[in-house]
């Protein structure tokens, strides 16, 4: 029977229950849905194959296999982080903008401090995971989510 925790008591934290991208079972479980969402946003943003591959951190030929559904491996920790950050940017933009601007914004030149007049897509490709995460935080901050 489950233990009952008294009101105000702290539940014990068990590292075994924490979901991370470093655990193989978590990557196996999350990769399929992450790739499905990532493929969808790539289509909605109108990105090229090379842009999609660079954002995900894979080669063009690997992206072609992923796009065709011929990829049966879990994503790496870095690839899941990239997908998660990009999906977070997509979600934040759709909460921020109520129109097609949500899907146009990633490809528009931007004067924001982290973009330096490049498009957010270009900045995230060139800056990798750190800029991807910073872009996600930036969108959250602009929409008042921080």
């Amino acid at each position: 029977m489950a233990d009952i925790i008294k009101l105000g008591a702290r539940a014990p934290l068990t590292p075994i229950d924490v979901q991370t991208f470093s655990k193989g079972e978590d990557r196996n479980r999350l990769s399929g849905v992450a790739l499905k969402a990532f493929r969808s946003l790539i289509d909605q943003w109108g990105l090229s194959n090379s842009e999609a591959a660079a954002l995900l951190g894979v080669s063009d030929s690997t992206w072609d296999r992923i796009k065709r559904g011929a990829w049966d491996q879990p994503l790496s920790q870095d690839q899941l982080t990239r997908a998660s950050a990009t999906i977070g940017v997509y979600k934040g933009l759709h909460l921020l903008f109520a129109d097609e601007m949500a899907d146009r914004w990633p490809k528009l030149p931007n004067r924001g401090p982290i973009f330096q007049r490049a498009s957010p897509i270009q900045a995230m490709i060139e800056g990798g995971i750190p800029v991807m995460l910073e872009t996600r935080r930036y969108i959250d901050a602009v929409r008042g989510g921080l």
Side-chain angles (χ1 to χ4, degrees):
M1 180 163 219
D3 293 332
I4 298 176
I5 298 176
K6 293 181 182 179
L7 185 61
R10 291 183 179 253
L13 295 177
T14 56
I16 295 169
D17 298 332
V18 175
Q19 173 180 293
T20 70
F21 293 162
S22 65
K23 294 179 187 173
E25 64 260 12
D26 288 341
R27 289 196 316 273
N28 286 335
R29 184 173 46 79
L30 297 170
S31 290
V33 70
L35 285 173
K36 182 178 179 181
F38 189 82
R39 282 192 307 260
S40 178
L41 75 84
I42 293 302
D43 289 341
Q44 289 188 352
W45 285 355
L47 300 185
S48 69
N49 284 344
S50 61
E51 288 171 323
L55 276 177
L56 192 56
V58 298
S59 67
D60 287 354
S61 61
T62 298
W63 173 249
D64 285 337
R65 287 194 305 272
I66 290 171
K67 197 168 81 168
R68 286 193 322 266
W71 179 262
D72 61 353
Q73 301 173 31
L75 295 173
S76 71
Q77 182 175 359
D78 283 358
Q79 292 162 342
L80 262 176
T81 300
R82 288 168 173 272
S84 176
T86 307
I87 293 164
V89 168
Y90 174 86
K91 179 183 175 185
L93 287 171
H94 280 268
L95 291 170
L96 180 62
F97 298 114
D99 58 16
E100 70 277 351
M101 180 56 82
D103 292 326
R104 287 189 13 230
W105 185 88
K107 292 185 84 173
L108 298 174
N110 195 301
R111 293 180 186 216
I114 57 176
F115 308 117
Q116 300 177 4
R117 299 185 190 268
S119 73
I121 293 297
Q122 291 168 320
M124 290 190 295
I125 288 171
E126 291 174 15
I129 292 172
V131 173
M132 295 172 94
L133 295 173
E134 187 62 26
T135 301
R136 182 176 181 176
R137 283 190 291 270
Y138 176 80
I139 294 299
D140 287 342
V142 168
R143 67 176 188 83
L146 287 180

